[in-house]
Amino acid sequence: MARPMRAALFVTCLAEYVRPSIADASLKLLRDAGIEADTPEPQICCGQPAYNHGHRASAKAIARQLIDTFREYDRVIVPSGSCAGMLIQHYPKLLADDKRIAAPARELAAKTVELTSFLASLESFEIDAELNAVAAYHDSCSSFRELGIHDAPRRLLAQVRGLKLASLADHEACCGFGGSFIVEFPELSARIADDKLDDVGHTGAEVLIGGDLGCLLNLGGRIGKRGLPVRVFHIAEVLAGMTEDLDSLSSVIPTDR
């Protein structure tokens, strides 16, 4: 008899400290799919900020700790294309010259999967959620370009009762977040976000959905600043049917830019 799969959820630091409901929604979805996922400790940042700024020693230290945290699991599921991309694409390169940890880094990369890709791969899994609204889906750069994710979130959202998914004219366009880009180039970031939101507005969407919290915080902040009638949710919250009990991300973050 085959051993049951041991799955872990990598909550991500942004979700843990800013929007814990994403972790709750992800765990609910996995339970609905018949998978009891653990959230082993310690879980820290994936190290992407340090990595992107060239602080390789710090990024390596963070990576080693996460590799140890998830070493005993068969699958590591991540509700973020950005953080999943860091584990899948960048850890093996970052630790390639470390003889002790290079192989475990490759093993972690091979067993890591972004949440919507994982759920969409389950043949018998069906979404049980309702959201009566027209919605647009934002593909993050990491999810779309780095991991090649496009169809999975749309196939899952198509199962949400009452939800009509509108297509953005330029779904490949960045939201302007880009990690530290929003800090280093705030005015340019805001202009890029506004272009994205104009695209959303042209679809008539009342709800903006995405799979990366960083993008949603950026776009939600601009929505709040501009007073646009668009609610913002992470896709896990929508698929888990939790939107009625949550504030939109456009109303829970500062709008001071």
Side-chain angles (χ1 to χ4, degrees):
M1 184 174 179
R3 178 177 63 84
M5 177 179 67
R6 291 197 69 198
L9 181 73
F10 177 28
V11 175
T12 79
C13 58
L14 204 54
E16 180 176 2
Y17 292 112
V18 179
R19 191 75 162 183
S21 55
I22 293 172
D24 295 337
S26 300
L27 291 170
K28 177 183 183 301
L29 289 165
L30 292 170
R31 282 197 300 273
D32 290 347
I35 296 166
E36 289 294 335
D38 297 333
T39 53
E41 298 286 347
Q43 290 203 20
I44 52 177
C45 174
C46 67
Q48 189 174 157
Y51 181 71
N52 288 344
H53 280 83
H55 302 303
R56 296 179 68 85
S58 297
K60 286 181 177 180
I62 293 168
R64 291 188 189 99
Q65 188 165 5
L66 276 187
I67 289 168
D68 287 340
T69 296
F70 295 122
R71 189 182 294 268
E72 302 302 322
Y73 289 90
D74 303 311
R75 272 291 192 192
V76 178
I77 301 159
V78 190
S80 162
S82 176
C83 300
M86 183 67 192
L87 271 60
I88 295 169
Q89 300 286 349
H90 300 291
Y91 275 16
K93 292 183 289 186
L94 177 66
L95 297 164
D97 59 352
D98 187 328
K99 293 182 179 178
R100 185 185 71 84
I101 206 75
R106 293 193 297 272
E107 292 169 4
L108 175 61
K111 64 186 180 185
T112 297
V113 60
E114 184 271 343
L115 176 69
T116 63
S117 295
F118 180 73
L119 293 175
S121 72
L122 303 174
E123 293 183 0
S124 59
F125 177 62
E126 296 181 357
I127 297 297
D128 181 16
E130 180 174 347
L131 178 59
N132 293 299
V134 177
Y137 186 79
H138 168 63
D139 296 289
S140 74
C141 294
S142 295
S143 179
F144 179 66
R145 294 192 174 85
E146 200 162 56
L147 300 179
I149 298 171
H150 178 269
D151 294 343
R154 290 168 173 81
R155 291 206 306 272
L156 295 169
L157 289 171
Q159 299 179 48
V160 177
R161 297 184 298 277
L163 185 69
K164 180 181 179 182
L165 197 60
S167 298
L168 295 174
D170 188 5
H171 79 90
E172 297 184 17
C174 174
C175 72
F177 178 65
S180 59
F181 182 84
I182 190 174
V183 177
E184 296 172 354
F185 306 99
E187 293 182 357
L188 180 56
S189 171
R191 286 170 51 193
I192 295 172
D194 284 346
D195 287 345
K196 170 67 73 172
L197 294 176
D198 289 344
D199 195 357
V200 173
H202 292 151
T203 69
E206 311 154 84
V207 176
L208 178 61
I209 303 168
D212 268 277
L213 183 54
C215 302
L216 297 178
L217 291 172
N218 182 38
L219 293 170
R222 291 302 300 172
I223 287 171
K225 179 76 172 179
R226 293 173 59 180
L228 301 176
V230 179
R231 293 179 291 158
V232 183
F233 297 104
H234 189 278
I235 188 170
E237 298 169 335
V238 175
L239 298 176
M242 296 171 57
T243 54
E244 289 297 318
D245 299 321
L246 294 171
D247 292 326
S248 164
L249 281 161
S250 60
S251 65
V252 298
I253 56 176
T255 57
D256 56 352
R257 73 183 179 93

PDB file of all heavy atoms in Angstrom, residues 26 41 110 160 179 212-213 229 250 255:
ATOM      1  N   SER A  26      -5.912  28.491   1.598  1.00  0.00           N
ATOM      2  CA  SER A  26      -5.109  27.457   0.933  1.00  0.00           C
ATOM      3  C   SER A  26      -5.255  26.121   1.641  1.00  0.00           C
ATOM      4  O   SER A  26      -5.422  25.069   0.998  1.00  0.00           O
ATOM      5  CB  SER A  26      -3.636  27.874   0.907  1.00  0.00           C
ATOM      6  OG  SER A  26      -3.467  29.090   0.202  1.00  0.00           O
ATOM      7  N   GLU A  41       7.418  24.545  11.010  1.00  0.00           N
ATOM      8  CA  GLU A  41       8.229  25.682  11.440  1.00  0.00           C
ATOM      9  C   GLU A  41       9.693  25.287  11.475  1.00  0.00           C
ATOM     10  O   GLU A  41      10.007  24.110  11.669  1.00  0.00           O
ATOM     11  CB  GLU A  41       7.781  26.163  12.824  1.00  0.00           C
ATOM     12  CG  GLU A  41       6.354  26.648  12.879  1.00  0.00           C
ATOM     13  CD  GLU A  41       6.168  27.999  12.215  1.00  0.00           C
ATOM     14  OE1 GLU A  41       7.198  28.667  11.940  1.00  0.00           O
ATOM     15  OE2 GLU A  41       5.018  28.379  11.956  1.00  0.00           O
ATOM     16  N   ALA A 110      12.255  20.521  -7.114  1.00  0.00           N
ATOM     17  CA  ALA A 110      11.477  19.527  -7.859  1.00  0.00           C
ATOM     18  C   ALA A 110      10.139  19.217  -7.204  1.00  0.00           C
ATOM     19  O   ALA A 110       9.185  18.835  -7.898  1.00  0.00           O
ATOM     20  CB  ALA A 110      12.304  18.242  -8.001  1.00  0.00           C
ATOM     21  N   VAL A 160     -16.187  28.594 -10.261  1.00  0.00           N
ATOM     22  CA  VAL A 160     -16.840  29.386  -9.210  1.00  0.00           C
ATOM     23  C   VAL A 160     -18.207  29.833  -9.705  1.00  0.00           C
ATOM     24  O   VAL A 160     -18.319  30.523 -10.718  1.00  0.00           O
ATOM     25  CB  VAL A 160     -15.974  30.606  -8.840  1.00  0.00           C
ATOM     26  CG1 VAL A 160     -16.694  31.473  -7.800  1.00  0.00           C
ATOM     27  CG2 VAL A 160     -14.621  30.150  -8.299  1.00  0.00           C
ATOM     28  N   GLY A 179       8.852  43.765  -6.388  1.00  0.00           N
ATOM     29  CA  GLY A 179       9.685  43.716  -5.181  1.00  0.00           C
ATOM     30  C   GLY A 179      10.107  45.106  -4.759  1.00  0.00           C
ATOM     31  O   GLY A 179       9.275  45.934  -4.400  1.00  0.00           O
ATOM     32  N   ASP A 212      -0.561  36.508  -6.471  1.00  0.00           N
ATOM     33  CA  ASP A 212       0.606  37.015  -5.763  1.00  0.00           C
ATOM     34  C   ASP A 212       0.210  38.218  -4.932  1.00  0.00           C
ATOM     35  O   ASP A 212      -0.233  39.238  -5.461  1.00  0.00           O
ATOM     36  CB  ASP A 212       1.714  37.397  -6.750  1.00  0.00           C
ATOM     37  CG  ASP A 212       2.666  36.248  -6.990  1.00  0.00           C
ATOM     38  OD1 ASP A 212       3.584  36.058  -6.166  1.00  0.00           O
ATOM     39  OD2 ASP A 212       2.478  35.525  -7.984  1.00  0.00           O
ATOM     40  N   LEU A 213       0.379  38.100  -3.620  1.00  0.00           N
ATOM     41  CA  LEU A 213      -0.082  39.147  -2.718  1.00  0.00           C
ATOM     42  C   LEU A 213       0.635  40.469  -2.947  1.00  0.00           C
ATOM     43  O   LEU A 213       0.032  41.536  -2.801  1.00  0.00           O
ATOM     44  CB  LEU A 213       0.091  38.689  -1.259  1.00  0.00           C
ATOM     45  CG  LEU A 213      -0.402  39.650  -0.181  1.00  0.00           C
ATOM     46  CD1 LEU A 213      -1.850  40.052  -0.411  1.00  0.00           C
ATOM     47  CD2 LEU A 213      -0.214  39.039   1.202  1.00  0.00           C
ATOM     48  N   PRO A 229     -14.222  51.444  -7.986  1.00  0.00           N
ATOM     49  CA  PRO A 229     -15.168  50.476  -7.408  1.00  0.00           C
ATOM     50  C   PRO A 229     -14.790  49.029  -7.739  1.00  0.00           C
ATOM     51  O   PRO A 229     -15.566  48.281  -8.336  1.00  0.00           O
ATOM     52  CB  PRO A 229     -16.492  50.876  -8.060  1.00  0.00           C
ATOM     53  CG  PRO A 229     -16.078  51.370  -9.416  1.00  0.00           C
ATOM     54  CD  PRO A 229     -14.745  52.060  -9.227  1.00  0.00           C
ATOM     55  N   SER A 250      -8.148  46.349  -1.312  1.00  0.00           N
ATOM     56  CA  SER A 250      -8.111  47.775  -1.646  1.00  0.00           C
ATOM     57  C   SER A 250      -8.519  48.647  -0.464  1.00  0.00           C
ATOM     58  O   SER A 250      -8.347  49.864  -0.519  1.00  0.00           O
ATOM     59  CB  SER A 250      -9.039  48.059  -2.831  1.00  0.00           C
ATOM     60  OG  SER A 250     -10.376  47.696  -2.516  1.00  0.00           O
ATOM     61  N   THR A 255      -3.148  54.197   1.464  1.00  0.00           N
ATOM     62  CA  THR A 255      -3.251  54.716   0.093  1.00  0.00           C
ATOM     63  C   THR A 255      -2.558  56.067   0.031  1.00  0.00           C
ATOM     64  O   THR A 255      -3.125  57.060  -0.372  1.00  0.00           O
ATOM     65  CB  THR A 255      -4.713  54.856  -0.332  1.00  0.00           C
ATOM     66  OG1 THR A 255      -5.380  55.709   0.607  1.00  0.00           O
ATOM     67  CG2 THR A 255      -5.412  53.514  -0.352  1.00  0.00           C
TER      68      THR A 255
END
